[in-house]
């Protein structure tokens, strides 16, 4: 029997949900973090390492992959899974966010967007239909609708215009999407800036069209954390219980914990790998800057109790040396450690929800981050 | 019983030698390639990956490590083995070569060398005694004498002066060296440019002092390959049969094969990792430039028969994409593949010597490199 895409709610604790997203390429335990494989690689990590950190699913960036190596080329090479040796599910974004943040000389109208590549200046067009087609060529297990992301803060009228355009694009994506036997999924994206009325109208419009999952877009673009959490608290109630909810591009471990409390099931973020390349480590003691001279003779690993080799087996003194020396291995080890830590935050959140202790868990975790590890030094 | 340092000759084929260097930290099968762990890391690779490529020993650079993190600091942190998580033998160079190639404003006299760090301009002094001390602080299993490397071509008188200085420094290194129970080794370095008489006098002088092994230095600095091989053929006969011979900083796989034919047992070179970071792969089909557009849709791995995951499991198309995108993973995979290939060249050479077929093996290997792999495309 073919496994269909679907969400199974297993436990709740307040608004926090513990569940499983079933896909033909494997289950995703939620709340889940999805490492970002921007250009066909989770930066610095072997696919086996990514899997070993606890990743059930990774994300691929349509914008990067359409420019290089190109969606048609990836399809000729057997799809993104074979290309990058990842056999689990892959979610691809629509390309819209990066078109609007990385590309230049863009034009947005009803039809779609025209932009110039940040790589070579070549001109490309992206419509809702083309975005869905590219994601099909890549072989996405979860396809995202094309939407328009605006900068915050934005006037109500501007947020409304972009939200309405995104809704019309959502409808066109739905029409263009071929579920290919039922195993593939299409997610809509709630927009509307920080405006409660717009977010609710966006959610209702998307639910009316009907998607396999719902994302919240346009957040984590510089607004305060409490604004993000407020928007989630005002929005998520309008989304169906039997579909996964994905907060795009978020965030810090604390952002994730607070968003799970509002009912978010899925996250993606470049933060663990980007921070790793810049000498930062996310740990249960909070964030450590390994560049800092105080680590120079610290023989402790990042976390002696971790089951991640990068966290457990290398001294902070060595990591400090690698970071200071700009050694590749420093970027590799810290990216590995951070992605592992993000997954452990999600794993611990899942357990706390199952036990009905989520609020206590969040409080204790935040306290541990704030306390740091100086007492153990 | 404590294992002493020593060389065991197991087979010969012409002048080529197959043997074992015994050390308290493990045996080194020779001919051996030693990956270079410049600044406490074989660039881009985990220690477990380095070991899995077939490395019995790695090299550490005294110059880099004395500047950062500092020899005394490494000692306080438990030595280089613990610091970088490598429990096999480590050979450290004397620092001399890099002082003379990387540092600036140097002064060389009888006492030693004074130089300014390429990192921060700070001034440092290095004498034969200090070089030996630094290598002891690092925890070297094989310590190299301080020598003076000159640029080639050089006038006979200049080559002679530097050779004589290196001999006097060799004597001081021998006096300063503490074998610490007998398990540690000190190698002398034959100098003398491309002059037969100087090389022979250098070798005889070193043998008179008496070392645990003998290196040939001052080659692979731009001279033609045939000059290098000629110098080896004129020099190695003057070295004792019962000590390992190490050709410093060499080279390409072909350089190594031809040097083994002259009786060299050990090599080190940054080429496999440096080439890997620049998109080059060394394979049994010769050197491949993965940047080249012809690889863009080539689904073959670098070598489907290899037991190295980096060579066997990733398509050339994917490697091409990673290299073009300047992704960390491209540098990691190609460094891994290249270090593995270098070790497989040495492994195959050892087998051919054992079988008494070394000359045929060299001819067949060179032919395979020249032929390439287009027939299989």
């Amino acid at each position: 029997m073919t496994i269909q895409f679907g969400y199974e709610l297993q436990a709740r604790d307040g608004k926090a949900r513990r569940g499983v997203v079933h896909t033909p390429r494997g289950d995703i335990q939620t709340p889940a973090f999805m490492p970002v494989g921007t250009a066909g690689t989770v930066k610095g990590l072997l696919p086996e390492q990514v899997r070993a950190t606890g990743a059930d699913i990774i994300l691929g960036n349509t914008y990067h992959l359409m420019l290089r190596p190109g969606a048609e080329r990836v399809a000729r090479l057997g799809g993104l899974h074979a290309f990058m040796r990842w056999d689990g599910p892959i979610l691809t974004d629509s390309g819209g966010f990066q078109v609007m943040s990385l590309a230049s000389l863009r034009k947005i109208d009803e039809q779609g967007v025209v932009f110039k590549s940040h790589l070579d200046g070549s001109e490309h067009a992206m419509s809702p239909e083309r975005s869905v087609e590219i994601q099909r060529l890549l072989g996405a297990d979860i396809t995202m609708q094309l939407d328009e992301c605006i900068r915050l803060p934005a006037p109500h009228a501007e947020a409304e215009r972009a939200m309405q355009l995104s809704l019309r694009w959502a409808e066109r994506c739905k029409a263009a999407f071929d579920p290919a036997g039922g195993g593939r999924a299409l997610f809509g994206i709630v927009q509307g800036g920080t405006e409660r009325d717009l977010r609710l109208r966006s959610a209702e419009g998307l639910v009316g069209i009907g998607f396999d999952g719902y994302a919240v877009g346009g957040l984590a673009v510089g607004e305060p954390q409490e604004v993000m959490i407020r928007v989630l608290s005002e929005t998520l109630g309008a989304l169906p219980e039997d579909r996964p909810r994905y907060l795009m591009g978020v965030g810090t471990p604390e952002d994730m914990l607070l968003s799970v409390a509002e009912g978010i099931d899925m996250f993606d973020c470049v933060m663990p790998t980007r921070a790793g390349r810049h000498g930062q480590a996310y740990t249960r003691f909070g964030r450590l800057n390994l560049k800092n001279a105080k680590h120079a003779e610290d023989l402790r690993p990042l976390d002696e109790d971790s089951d991640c080799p990068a966290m457990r087996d290398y001294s902070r003194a060595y990591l400090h040396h690698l970071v200071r020396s700009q050694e590749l291995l420093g970027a590799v080890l810290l990216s590995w450690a951070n992605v592992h830590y993000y997954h452990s935050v999600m794993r611990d959140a899942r357990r706390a929800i199952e036990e009905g202790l989520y609020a206590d868990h969040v409080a204790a975790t935040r306290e541990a981050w704030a306390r740091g590890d100086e007492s153990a030094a």
Side-chain angles (χ1 to χ4, degrees), chain A residues 150-156 159 191-199 217-221 223-224 227-228 230-232 234-235:
Chain A
I150 56 170
R151 295 179 197 281
L152 295 180
H156 188 282
Q191 287 289 357
T194 57
E195 311 286 343
R196 180 171 189 275
D197 63 316
L198 298 182
R199 287 281 175 181
L219 293 177
V221 290
E223 79 284 1
V227 171
M228 180 178 84
R230 196 247 311 148
V231 171
L232 294 179
E234 292 169 351
T235 304

Side-chain angles (χ1 to χ4, degrees), chain A residues 34 102 185 203 212 232 244 281 348:
Chain A
M34 303 184 283
L102 284 180
D212 301 301
L232 294 179
D348 293 347

Side-chain angles (χ1 to χ4, degrees), chain A residues 175-239:
Chain A
F177 179 70
D178 173 5
R184 291 182 165 181
L186 177 68
F187 280 25
I189 304 177
V190 179
Q191 287 289 357
T194 57
E195 311 286 343
R196 180 171 189 275
D197 63 316
L198 298 182
R199 287 281 175 181
L200 287 175
R201 280 164 56 200
S202 175
E204 284 156 14
L206 292 170
V207 173
I209 299 168
F211 288 91
D212 301 301
Y214 296 87
V216 180
L219 293 177
V221 290
E223 79 284 1
Q225 185 188 60
E226 58 266 29
V227 171
M228 180 178 84
I229 300 301
R230 196 247 311 148
V231 171
L232 294 179
S233 75
E234 292 169 351
T235 304
L236 297 186
L239 295 176

Side-chain angles (χ1 to χ4, degrees), chain A residues 54-172:
Chain A
D56 290 333
I57 175 173
I58 62 171
L59 184 141
N61 281 131
T62 285
Y63 171 78
H64 289 287
L65 291 164
M66 71 182 282
L67 296 180
R68 189 171 57 195
E72 277 74 10
R73 173 166 283 169
V74 171
R76 283 195 298 275
L77 293 170
L80 187 56
H81 295 81
F83 187 59
M84 67 184 294
R85 298 188 63 249
W86 175 263
D87 61 4
I90 296 177
L91 179 149
T92 47
D93 62 10
S94 70
F97 179 76
Q98 270 138 351
V99 162
M100 296 165 206
S101 57
L102 284 180
S104 62
L105 297 181
R106 61 199 162 87
K107 182 186 75 168
I108 299 183
D109 62 15
E110 189 66 31
Q111 177 51 31
V113 56
V114 176
F115 63 94
K116 290 195 173 183
S117 160
H118 74 293
L119 295 176
D120 62 5
S122 58
E123 192 165 290
H124 299 262
M126 170 87 88
S127 63
E129 293 78 14
R130 176 61 181 160
S131 174
V132 167
E133 180 183 29
I134 290 172
Q135 295 179 75
R136 179 182 62 73
L137 288 164
L138 296 175
D141 299 282
I142 301 178
T143 295
M144 300 302 300
Q145 74 149 101
L146 187 67
D147 60 342
E148 182 185 353
C149 297
I150 56 170
R151 295 179 197 281
L152 295 180
H156 188 282
E158 167 66 1
E160 178 166 18
R161 184 202 57 72
M163 180 274 281
Q164 294 285 13
L165 179 65
S166 296
L167 262 186
R168 294 191 297 276
W169 285 0
E171 195 137 23
R172 285 165 56 188

